[in-house]
Amino acid sequence: MSVVLAALTSDPNLLRCELHRLAGQVLVQTEPRANAVGVGAYAQDEVLLRRFSSAEGEPSLVGLAPPGESEALLFHASRLPVGASLEENTQPFRSRRWLFAHQGSVSGFDELRASLLASLPEHLQRQVHGATDSEVLFALFLRQLRDVGRTDDPRLEAEVSGRLLADTAREVIKRSVDAGIPRASTLNLVATNGSVLVACRFGEEPLFYSRLEGGAECEPCGVTASSPESQPAVGAHRRRRTVVVASHLKRPGSWVELPRGTTLAVGMDLQVHLLNGG
């Protein structure tokens, strides 16, 4: 099973600090070990996307942080079959400012693939380069955004993008039912454009979320409980807030399991909205 981790933070300068806080809470590698790792982040108007092979050992969580500041991060690790192209099949997938990852599988995908692709406009069909069901799911989500004219809208509301992500999962589920495919799909979908973070859970596999509040201590920045309040870093670390979505935990702690059929939607105000239905 693949691993997904996503974060949206109030202070792009402190994303690396938040990843350090998460190191003892989340897993970014499972058995069998992933051999394809991808991580996407943002540098102002630029989207940064790295893909690399990681067949041995666990990637460093802090090492996933981009070199500069970023409001959001999306990480995915999976095991690709022998011969599959790392560049074409490694998540997260990117289109313009959108990053997308899928944990799970579409049951009966070989049977559904042609009809799913046929439902896409030509320009989105051309964007599907690999063989994964996940890339087709991303194209379906992009079609949902295009149909309401919100693909590149910087004011896109988190709740709207969350509903469109859930509609993507529900469309695939309906097509599976109509095709008589007996086994249920696992559709844990996560997407961000750097301003919103949305995630939905459709299937048995769990998906968790947590809201990290500010704190006065940060080992990477050398901020301790005895650091003077006049130090600018102290105030910045106290004010930071981050919402994180993760598929695999080391310990549950303050994490909340997203109920099946529920979508999480978070905007830059870092308020968590749960959308039910499905």
Side-chain angles (χ1 to χ4, degrees):
M1 179 60 66
S2 61
V3 179
V4 65
L5 173 72
L8 183 68
T9 186
S10 63
D11 192 333
N13 292 296
L14 300 183
L15 179 61
R16 184 179 297 272
C17 306
E18 298 300 71
L19 292 175
H20 181 268
R21 279 211 283 182
L22 290 168
Q25 302 181 43
V26 301
L27 287 168
V28 291
Q29 182 69 281
T30 60
E31 296 294 343
R33 292 194 172 276
N35 60 6
V37 174
V39 58
Y42 296 84
Q44 296 181 349
D45 293 332
E46 186 179 359
V47 181
L48 308 176
L49 183 58
R50 291 185 291 145
R51 293 174 172 140
F52 51 95
S53 177
S54 180
E56 295 183 4
E58 181 169 314
S60 165
L61 196 56
V62 176
L64 298 176
E69 63 182 37
S70 179
E71 299 88 348
L73 176 140
L74 181 53
F75 165 87
H76 187 275
S78 63
R79 186 158 193 85
L80 295 180
V82 176
S85 166
L86 186 75
E87 185 63 27
E88 292 183 345
N89 296 288
T90 301
Q91 302 184 58
F93 297 112
R94 178 216 169 177
S95 179
R96 298 182 183 179
R97 285 192 63 81
W98 283 101
L99 292 168
F100 176 96
H102 164 221
Q103 185 217 14
S105 62
V106 176
S107 184
F109 177 65
D110 290 343
E111 183 178 345
L112 295 174
R113 188 177 192 274
S115 64
L116 290 173
L117 288 174
S119 72
L120 300 171
E122 288 187 10
H123 76 281
L124 289 178
Q125 291 184 30
R126 290 194 296 270
Q127 287 189 31
V128 178
H129 301 294
T132 68
D133 52 358
S134 305
E135 191 176 16
V136 175
L137 288 168
F138 184 31
L140 292 171
F141 174 58
L142 293 173
R143 191 202 69 208
Q144 296 273 1
L145 289 165
R146 188 212 64 157
D147 288 348
V148 296
R150 308 297 296 274
T151 304
D152 299 314
D153 187 351
R155 298 181 300 277
L156 176 64
E157 302 89 344
E159 294 94 328
V160 172
S161 52
R163 291 190 185 95
L164 296 175
L165 188 70
D167 287 345
T168 301
R170 281 190 283 263
E171 176 182 348
V172 174
I173 291 169
K174 183 179 185 303
R175 286 178 178 270
S176 296
V177 172
D178 291 346
I181 296 171
R183 189 162 60 88
S185 299
T186 297
L187 304 175
N188 289 348
L189 312 181
V190 184
T192 181
N193 62 1
S195 299
V196 301
L197 172 63
V198 291
C200 66
R201 177 193 174 189
F202 288 83
E204 294 289 346
E205 293 296 327
L207 197 61
F208 305 90
Y209 70 93
S210 182
R211 191 172 187 268
L212 305 181
E213 300 292 344
E217 298 183 30
C218 177
E219 181 180 339
C221 295
V223 177
T224 68
S226 60
S227 297
E229 293 291 333
S230 59
Q231 187 175 333
V234 173
H237 282 77
R238 287 189 187 278
R239 291 189 298 270
R240 62 180 170 169
R241 293 171 297 134
T242 302
V243 175
V244 187
V245 175
S247 60
H248 291 73
L249 304 179
K250 292 182 178 179
R251 60 175 188 266
S254 61
W255 292 80
V256 180
E257 183 172 341
L258 194 67
R260 290 182 60 183
T262 302
T263 302
L264 174 143
V266 183
M268 290 307 297
D269 60 0
L270 276 296
Q271 296 300 311
V272 173
H273 304 275
L274 297 181
L275 314 175
N276 297 315

